[in-house]
């Protein structure tokens, strides 16, 4: 809630961000209906499993090269813990009769979304309590649907050592730390975290190998300075090399899930999440540098689009047909990659070199959120690619001056390997945003 002392004309006398609402504004879960019940994961009577303790390996580059190396180390640890939480909750959802609920916007949601936001908020606030969080969820939904105990349980299993046991209010406050109106910003640049707890929840609840991503970024004075994406279901079933039409390169990725990290000026790197998916296995600490693919021709590009976007609705359809069959690609066809759910998985595809392009049209019926793009943008940039709106302008993360939650790209987002960015901008130039 805004501080009453924050008035127009006083910005220069105030800090960049204001603090969070007091705890007495958070309502007790007992005030809400308990008509919807959720199977505890596990019940309090069930003995606790040992808490997840990731191996803290060094960064893929020297600390002296990374101004924000402490923040990056904390972000990696938090995202790895969050990925472990997601894997456990997903297994439980389909090993039992756990409920999958829907939020008001009709997108599927599980305790994992709220658990991840609480967990990462708690972990980051230990080392960086003054840096606020911009995130997708708030606690109102789990309070109203009697999910508080389930969320507290999964968070307690993954949180790092505390001086005291977690209480319900600790977890609820951690979720609301990233919620709407938790922090009010002035027009000046600010420092804040941007979190998407689970990008691609529709894939998450399917229970198969569909990709979903935990995405975390740090914005400092309008610039994204670091990012971490965790993708537990990433499988390297495609290998590209320099002989594949001159567009690929040897880029070995994980077979068992990955964490992708970026720091401004230090590149984009990945390592396996093998220790999360198989705790009996030896942790893999090796990092692999990511480089975007080498495609220089639009017809030879591998393209990702959103699931709701029909190819015929994109301006490129006037020049090229689309196909999912690599064997049928010709001068007038573009290869579409079949992807499931979430924008961040497409950014991951481009940053890793598996895709050449990700294109998303802005629509009047959909609000574009900062957490769907922030971490992906730095990962692509540091891998050698480029992200802009359809007019070639950088994405402005300060356009939403009070909440830093909404983005306003002209036309939409264009994410490429950089080599074909200018070509695509020319093709998009005569168009406007697609409704």
């Amino acid at each position: 809630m805004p501080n009453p002392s924050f008035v127009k004309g006083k910005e220069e006398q105030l800090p960049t961000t204001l603090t969070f609402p007091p705890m007495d504004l958070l309502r007790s879960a007992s005030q809400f209906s308990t008509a919807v019940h959720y199977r505890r994961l596990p019940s309090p009577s069930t003995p606790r499993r040992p808490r997840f303790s990731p191996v803290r390996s060094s960064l893929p580059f020297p600390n002296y090269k990374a101004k924000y190396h402490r923040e990056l180390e904390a972000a990696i640890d938090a995202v790895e813990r969050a990925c472990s939480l997601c894997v456990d909750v997903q297994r439980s959802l389909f090993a039992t009769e756990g409920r999958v609920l829907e939020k008001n916007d009709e997108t599927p949601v599980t305790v994992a979304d709220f658990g991840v936001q609480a967990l990462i908020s708690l972990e980051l606030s230990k080392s960086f309590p003054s840096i606020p969080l911009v995130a997708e969820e708030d606690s109102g939904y789990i309070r109203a649907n009697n999910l508080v105990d389930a969320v507290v349980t999964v968070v307690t299993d993954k949180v790092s050592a505390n001086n005291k046991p977690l209480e319900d209010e600790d977890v609820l406050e951690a979720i609301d730390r990233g919620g709407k109106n938790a922090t009010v910003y002035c027009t000046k640049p600010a420092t804040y975290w941007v979190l998407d707890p689970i990008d691609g929840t529709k894939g998450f609840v399917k229970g198969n190998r569909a990709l979903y991503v935990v995405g975390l970024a740090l914005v400092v004075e309008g610039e994204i300075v670091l990012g971490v994406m965790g993708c537990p279901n990433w499988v390297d079933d495609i290998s590209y090399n320099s002989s594949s039409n001159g567009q690929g390169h040897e880029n070995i990725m994980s077979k068992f899930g990955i964490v992708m990290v970026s720091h401004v000026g230090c590149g984009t790197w990945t390592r396996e999440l093998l220790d999360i998916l198989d705790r009996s296995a030896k942790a893999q600490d090796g990092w692999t540098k990511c480089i975007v693919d080498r495609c220089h021709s639009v017809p030879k590009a591998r393209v990702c689009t959103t699931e709701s976007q029909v190819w015929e609705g994109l301006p490129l359809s006037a020049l090229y047909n689309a196909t999912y069959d690599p064997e049928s690609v010709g001068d007038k066809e573009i290869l579409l990659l079949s992807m499931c759910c979430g924008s961040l998985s497409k950014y991951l595809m481009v940053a890793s070199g598996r895709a050449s392009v990700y294109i998303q049209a802005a629509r009047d019926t959909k609000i574009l959120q900062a957490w769907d793009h922030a971490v992906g943008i730095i990962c692509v940039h540091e891998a050698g690619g480029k992200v802009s709106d359809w007019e070639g302008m950088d994405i402005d993360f300060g356009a939403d001056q009070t909440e830093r939650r909404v983005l306003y790209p002209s036309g939409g987002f264009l994410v490429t390997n950089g080599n074909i960015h200018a070509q695509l901008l020319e093709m998009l130039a005569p168009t406007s945003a697609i409704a």
Side-chain angles (χ1 to χ4, degrees):
M1 180 172 291
N3 189 313
S5 65
F6 186 82
V7 294
K8 188 174 182 180
K10 298 292 186 180
E11 291 92 338
E12 69 280 359
Q13 302 175 18
L14 294 168
T16 302
T17 62
L18 300 181
T19 54
F20 315 112
M23 279 293 298
D24 59 5
L25 293 182
L26 298 175
R27 293 176 290 177
S28 169
S30 62
Q31 297 175 342
F32 293 87
S33 169
T34 58
V36 179
H37 298 281
Y38 193 93
R39 182 184 179 94
R40 290 174 182 259
L41 304 174
S43 66
S45 61
T46 304
R48 298 281 191 199
R49 296 188 304 275
R51 286 175 177 165
F52 173 69
S53 299
V55 177
R56 295 295 299 274
S57 67
S58 61
L59 297 177
F61 35 77
N63 287 353
Y64 70 84
K65 292 187 176 182
K67 179 178 180 180
Y68 304 98
H69 65 88
R70 290 182 60 248
E71 291 86 346
L72 182 57
E73 288 173 343
I76 294 171
D77 179 64
V79 169
E80 286 183 337
R81 292 176 184 276
C83 288
S84 178
L85 183 156
C86 290
V87 170
D88 285 355
V89 172
Q90 189 182 49
R91 287 172 176 168
S92 181
L93 281 172
F94 296 96
T96 67
E97 295 180 357
R99 296 177 62 91
V100 177
L101 303 178
E102 288 190 350
K103 293 187 292 187
N104 293 334
D105 60 2
E106 297 183 352
T107 58
V109 64
T110 71
V111 294
D113 294 86
F114 298 96
V116 166
Q117 184 159 318
L119 175 61
I120 290 182
S121 176
L122 287 166
E123 294 299 315
L124 295 178
S125 63
K126 291 175 183 177
S127 300
F128 307 100
S130 64
I131 301 180
L133 176 68
V134 173
E136 186 172 7
E137 310 295 351
D138 61 66
S139 69
Y141 185 83
I142 62 171
R143 292 172 183 268
N145 289 282
N146 197 32
L147 295 175
V148 175
D149 287 346
V151 173
V152 172
T153 296
V154 297
V155 173
T156 300
D157 284 344
K158 305 301 178 185
V159 74
S160 59
N162 285 303
N163 295 328
K164 63 181 182 68
L166 282 179
E167 302 291 341
D168 288 2
E169 288 302 320
D170 297 327
V171 173
L172 294 171
E173 181 181 16
I175 294 172
D176 288 331
R177 178 172 174 254
K180 187 176 177 64
N181 299 322
T183 307
V184 174
Y185 300 83
C186 64
T187 57
K188 293 182 179 180
T191 296
Y192 54 95
W193 299 101
V194 181
L195 170 67
D196 195 333
I198 298 180
D199 185 67
T201 312
K202 290 181 180 179
F204 178 85
V205 300
K206 288 181 179 179
N208 55 19
R209 300 297 296 178
L211 299 186
Y212 64 91
V213 174
V214 177
L216 177 65
L218 180 65
V219 179
V220 177
E221 297 185 353
E223 179 185 12
I224 309 168
V225 298
L226 65 85
V228 182
M229 286 194 280
C231 185
N233 280 350
W234 180 270
V235 177
D236 184 23
D237 54 3
I238 302 176
S239 178
Y240 298 111
N241 54 56
S242 57
S243 64
S244 57
N245 297 325
Q247 58 180 303
H249 63 283
E250 193 64 30
N251 197 6
I252 301 173
M253 303 295 286
S254 171
K255 296 181 180 179
F256 304 102
I258 59 170
V259 59
M260 176 177 282
V261 307
S262 289
H263 185 289
V264 61
C266 296
T268 296
W269 303 76
T270 62
R271 75 174 180 200
E272 292 184 2
L273 285 176
L274 182 63
D275 57 318
I276 288 178
L277 299 182
D278 183 0
R279 297 182 188 182
S280 65
K282 182 179 179 180
Q284 302 296 309
D285 298 333
W287 292 96
T288 299
K289 190 169 186 178
C290 293
I291 304 173
V292 293
D293 79 358
R294 301 173 185 171
C295 177
H296 284 80
S297 173
V298 173
K300 295 182 179 180
R302 301 183 297 275
V303 180
C304 296
T305 63
T306 60
E307 292 71 38
S308 60
Q309 178 65 65
V310 178
W311 176 256
E312 287 71 22
L314 290 171
L316 298 183
S317 64
L319 300 172
Y320 301 101
N321 296 320
T323 179
Y324 289 99
D325 181 7
E327 302 299 324
S328 65
V329 174
D331 292 338
K332 293 297 182 179
E333 288 81 26
I334 280 183
L335 177 64
L336 289 183
L337 299 182
S338 179
M339 289 290 298
C340 180
C341 311
S343 296
L344 292 182
S345 62
K346 281 90 165 178
Y347 281 99
L348 196 154
M349 294 282 283
V350 176
S352 67
R354 187 178 288 184
S356 314
V357 178
Y358 166 41
I359 184 169
Q360 177 181 348
R363 293 179 294 169
D364 293 339
T365 57
K366 182 177 181 180
I367 296 175
L368 300 174
Q369 307 283 8
W371 50 77
D372 287 327
H373 300 276
V375 64
I377 288 174
I378 188 171
C379 286
V380 169
H381 279 170
E382 288 296 318
K386 186 171 179 59
V387 182
S388 75
D389 65 17
W390 285 14
E391 293 184 354
M393 302 299 294
D394 292 339
I395 306 303
D396 182 5
F397 278 81
D400 180 359
Q401 295 184 354
T402 58
E403 296 180 353
R404 301 296 196 268
R405 304 173 74 83
V406 182
L407 301 177
Y408 304 97
S410 177
F413 294 90
L414 180 62
V415 183
T416 76
N417 62 7
N419 296 325
I420 56 177
H421 204 87
Q423 299 175 47
L424 289 168
L425 286 176
E426 290 181 5
M427 298 174 187
L428 297 172
T431 70
S432 59
I434 295 177

